[in-house]
Amino acid sequence: MNILIINCGSSSIKYQLFSMERKASLLNGIVEKIGSEEASVTHRKGEKKHKQTIGVPDYFSAVEIIAGLLTHPEWGAVEEKSAIHAIGHRVVHGGEEFKSSVVIDKHVMERIKYYGKLAPLHNPPAYNGIRGTMQIFPHTVQVAVFDTAFHQTMPEEAYLYGLPYKLYKQYCIRRYGFHGTSHRYVAEAAAKMLKRPLVKLKLITCHLGNGCSITAVKNGKSVDTSMGFTPLEGLLMGTRCGDIDPALVGYIMEKEKMTINQVNDLMNRKSGLLGLSGISNDMRDLLECAKKGNHRAKLAIDVFIYRVKKYIGAYIAVMNGADTVILTAGIGENVAIMKQRLSKEMSNVLGRRIKILTIHTDEERLIAFDTYELVKNKK
Ligand code: ADP
């Protein structure tokens, strides 16, 4: 069975084709800057890469281009569109309704649109991407895999904020958490590596990429996570501030004469590693500058690691212990000092028992497996 994975961002679509029999990725690529004159497609098949600047007015055209590449004599992997047996979509927000992946029907589409109010930057492009995909692959089963689904097991005490309860009831204001697919993938992978059942493990999964979040996974279930109502809460990130005193929003608005949108922009795009260092949101640049003695680069890295330690400590408390801490995503997998500093600076807390593992995350693969599970009996 061939499964196509579609991951729609605010102006891009990433895609990847899997053969489930061969347990292999056949090709992948990205269409970027959708809606602009400089839109481009970068397509990879094995070692070969093909990049082209091309007009892509909307998501429908982007999916059309992808479909053309999948069946292309040189760049494709199948002869006809009908050889794509199912399509799995990454959807960021599934509210409280979606606790696992689902086959997309009219109702699911309506709800993805509805939850756009909770994820205005993420759900609308996913909705448009799915619509485009449905038009171009009208006979193919499509599945939605939600970032929020894995965290739906959190208890009330973890997901409720200390705000009037009626705001939760009226506006669905609560912690949802994100990166769920990645946390679930590395938790399952860790159990396999440790050769122990996931249902008997207490894991702390740290997804440290451009966006960063940490999850406490107890007996295979997310019991708390650092991102909240939006992906802004928690750790320091590339350009996001993570936890701050909520009173600062009003204070900054007053001092800087900013609107709420401007403060939102400041917290989401101009803060984090970029804001503190004044250099870059990219950890590689900061490591380089810190090595040369740049104080602000070093400071940004220190704040980043300090926050990670704080959350790991909190989640050891939440679960009354832990078996393993897992580092994943761009920074988690590649920055050696992360593991070294956590091991050294938390040696008393971790003791000999709690090991730190680095595991490569593969959200697309998990989306493919979920899709396969949902469609295999329908064929
Ligand atoms: P995204 O959340 O966009 O998927 P990634 O998981 O690719 O992000 O992570 C991006 C971050 O990982 C950036 O800060 C980047 O600097 C860092 N990173 C990626 N590769 C390396 C590397 N080899 N060494 C150090 N940092 C890296």
Side-chain angles (χ1 to χ4, degrees):
M1 186 184 282
N2 296 318
I3 296 183
L4 174 65
I5 305 308
I6 297 278
N7 181 351
C8 294
S10 53
S11 63
S12 69
I13 300 185
K14 284 191 206 158
Y15 59 93
Q16 188 161 175
L17 184 65
F18 280 94
S19 157
M20 299 315 284
E21 289 79 17
R22 286 155 60 186
K23 290 201 166 74
S25 165
L26 304 178
L27 53 78
N28 67 75
I30 181 166
V31 185
E32 290 173 283
K33 299 192 181 162
I34 297 170
S36 93
E37 291 289 309
E38 301 123 60
S40 68
V41 52
T42 309
H43 182 86
R44 285 189 185 82
K45 185 182 170 189
E47 299 292 300
K48 290 191 294 183
K49 183 173 144 185
H50 158 81
K51 184 165 181 176
Q52 192 183 352
T53 307
I54 185 172
V56 188
D58 51 31
Y59 282 81
F60 176 82
S61 323
V63 179
E64 223 172 12
I65 290 166
I66 295 169
L69 283 163
L70 297 177
T71 51
H72 189 275
E74 186 185 351
W75 292 102
V78 293
E79 280 182 15
E80 291 174 7
K81 278 197 301 186
S82 60
I84 308 292
H85 302 109
I87 301 175
H89 295 270
R90 176 191 178 210
V91 181
V92 165
H93 222 302
E96 289 189 319
E97 189 169 335
F98 297 106
K99 300 183 193 322
S100 58
S101 306
V102 290
V103 171
I104 302 175
D105 59 14
K106 220 169 135 200
H107 168 76
V108 173
M109 281 303 275
E110 276 166 19
R111 301 310 283 172
I112 292 173
K113 194 172 185 183
Y114 175 79
Y115 288 120
K117 68 175 185 173
L118 300 179
L121 299 178
H122 294 101
N123 271 36
Y127 178 84
N128 290 333
I130 297 170
R131 267 189 39 173
T133 314
M134 283 183 153
Q135 280 169 284
I136 291 162
F137 295 88
H139 307 298
T140 311
V141 190
Q142 320 235 357
V143 166
V145 178
F146 299 93
D147 269 29
T148 48
F150 181 58
H151 300 301
Q152 278 299 308
T153 46
M154 280 189 290
E156 276 175 317
E157 65 205 41
Y159 73 67
L160 284 176
Y161 289 115
L163 290 165
Y165 191 74
K166 79 166 205 255
L167 295 182
Y168 164 57
K169 284 290 169 204
Q170 235 175 330
Y171 305 116
C172 310
I173 294 176
R174 51 158 286 179
R175 175 182 311 286
Y176 289 98
F178 299 89
H179 292 142
T181 316
S182 175
H183 290 293
R184 195 178 124 210
Y185 181 86
V186 295
E188 287 172 6
K192 278 191 202 133
M193 281 170 82
L194 297 166
K195 298 198 173 65
R196 290 176 60 190
L198 185 58
V199 290
K200 292 202 172 148
L201 286 170
K202 292 174 180 174
L203 304 172
I204 297 172
T205 52
C206 311
H207 178 107
L208 309 176
N210 264 317
C212 302
S213 68
I214 300 200
T215 299
V217 184
K218 190 176 180 185
N219 308 334
K221 294 189 167 129
S222 166
V223 292
D224 201 355
T225 191
S226 61
M227 281 180 168
F229 179 66
T230 73
L232 183 58
E233 193 180 343
L235 298 171
L236 193 80
M237 309 182 210
T239 60
R240 287 173 244 170
C241 59
D243 295 334
I244 56 164
D245 182 340
L248 278 170
V249 175
Y251 194 76
I252 297 169
M253 282 172 76
E254 200 181 315
K255 290 285 173 197
E256 292 276 303
K257 310 257 175 309
M258 279 183 171
T259 62
I260 188 68
N261 285 342
Q262 287 170 319
V263 180
N264 266 328
D265 190 58
L266 176 102
M267 296 187 299
N268 276 292
R269 295 187 220 279
K270 299 185 181 129
S271 301
L273 292 174
L274 173 68
L276 273 176
S277 69
I279 300 168
S280 167
N281 63 326
D282 195 306
M283 191 53 109
R284 281 167 289 206
D285 298 341
L286 298 184
L287 290 166
E288 198 61 39
C289 292
K291 217 168 55 202
K292 291 184 193 143
N294 185 296
H295 171 68
R296 293 259 300 275
K298 186 177 173 310
L299 190 65
I301 297 168
D302 285 346
V303 175
F304 183 91
I305 297 177
Y306 181 81
R307 278 283 173 101
V308 173
K309 287 195 293 187
K310 230 161 107 162
Y311 268 97
I312 292 174
Y315 289 164
I316 291 175
V318 160
M319 294 193 288
N320 193 17
D323 295 294
T324 306
V325 173
I326 297 142
L327 301 178
T328 194
I331 297 174
E333 291 170 33
N334 297 301
V335 179
I337 58 153
M338 276 306 300
K339 189 169 171 179
Q340 288 159 8
R341 283 190 54 179
L342 293 177
S343 306
K344 190 161 156 233
E345 295 169 24
M346 296 188 80
S347 60
N348 280 336
V349 180
L350 300 174
R352 288 213 186 136
R353 242 178 59 78
I354 309 178
K355 296 267 177 289
I356 303 179
L357 284 179
T358 304
I359 298 180
H360 172 62
T361 191
D362 195 340
E363 290 162 276
E364 270 83 15
R365 199 168 281 263
L366 188 70
I367 296 174
F369 280 122
D370 265 17
T371 306
Y372 178 69
E373 283 304 314
L374 282 167
V375 302
K376 68 179 180 198
N377 298 326
K378 286 186 191 273
K379 287 277 141 190

